[in-house]
Amino acid sequence: MNATFHASSHDPLGWHGTTILCVRKDGQVAMAGDGQVSMGQTVVKNNARKVRRIAGGKVITGFAGATADAFTLLERLEAKLERFPDQLERAAVELAKDWRTDRYLRRLEALLAVADKDRSLLITGQGDVLEPEDQIIGIGSGGNYALAAARALIDVDGMTAEAIARKAMGIAAEICVYTNGRYVLETI
């Protein structure tokens, strides 16, 4: 299963620059997001924070796409988690249903990678809630590169989820012009 998606097929402003990677291994989950935001061929920000904790620190989220749209969706997800505590999958499904059916939410262009101690999920505006078989999610402009690197490293003995995420993000930053090496990494 390919768990890599781009936030929008239509990008009128030419904004690029998100790489989010989520890796789960041996009971640890690590999510990293680079800090680069580009407009056309210009880097407009190097230290954007695209990975955050919600639900009292129990859930790690990462987003790709329009920032305001992503924040709207994260607020809605947090409200769902308040309604369904410690039920990430149910909260994600409820958010995806709203996102797909609500006229306002349907226009939001973002993707969410979310993880708790038990599950890693990708939530899309098409109503999808996906849990990849290999427990690795890559989204955004450099998501394919980070995903490929993480898959290559996942079976290396002695590498933790955090070490894999760091190495894979470094590889993505070397390949993708819309990804930098300044990333935020959170672990559970």
Side-chain angles (χ1 to χ4, degrees), residues 13-179:
L13 296 176
W15 289 91
H16 296 283
T18 299
T19 300
I20 302 295
L21 177 65
C22 181
V23 177
R24 182 178 296 274
K25 182 178 180 181
D26 298 332
Q28 181 189 52
V29 63
M31 189 176 300
D34 80 308
Q36 183 169 311
V37 177
S38 303
M39 187 170 133
Q41 296 181 2
T42 304
V43 175
V44 292
K45 188 168 184 169
N46 279 311
N47 63 347
R49 186 171 175 85
K50 304 167 197 169
V51 172
R52 301 172 182 279
R53 288 183 175 272
I54 62 171
K58 294 179 182 179
V59 175
I60 305 171
T61 65
F63 65 86
T67 305
D69 292 357
F71 285 156
T72 298
L73 293 165
L74 289 175
E75 287 173 5
R76 298 245 179 169
L77 177 61
E78 193 152 27
K80 299 289 184 190
L81 286 166
E82 287 175 10
R83 185 170 171 205
F84 306 109
D86 299 320
Q87 298 180 58
L88 179 61
E89 184 175 12
R90 177 147 188 213
V93 168
E94 293 296 321
L95 174 64
K97 281 197 270 185
D98 290 352
W99 194 355
R100 176 122 174 110
T101 59
D102 183 276
R103 188 174 182 166
Y104 166 73
L105 292 178
R106 264 196 319 256
R107 298 174 190 260
L108 299 183
E109 295 188 10
L111 292 172
L112 301 178
V114 299
D116 66 6
K117 63 182 180 56
D118 300 314
R119 292 238 154 101
S120 298
L121 304 170
L122 176 68
I123 310 169
T124 76
Q126 286 75 42
D128 298 316
V129 177
L130 305 169
E131 183 175 25
E133 293 173 23
D134 60 8
Q135 299 296 304
I136 304 170
I137 298 170
I139 59 175
S141 301
N144 285 330
Y145 306 115
L147 178 70
R151 283 184 176 169
L153 297 168
I154 197 72
D155 292 326
V156 174
D157 289 334
M159 284 194 83
T160 64
E162 180 177 348
I164 292 167
R166 287 184 187 282
K167 181 71 173 170
M169 288 297 288
I171 291 168
E174 290 175 6
I175 298 169
C176 179
V177 297
Y178 298 114
T179 303

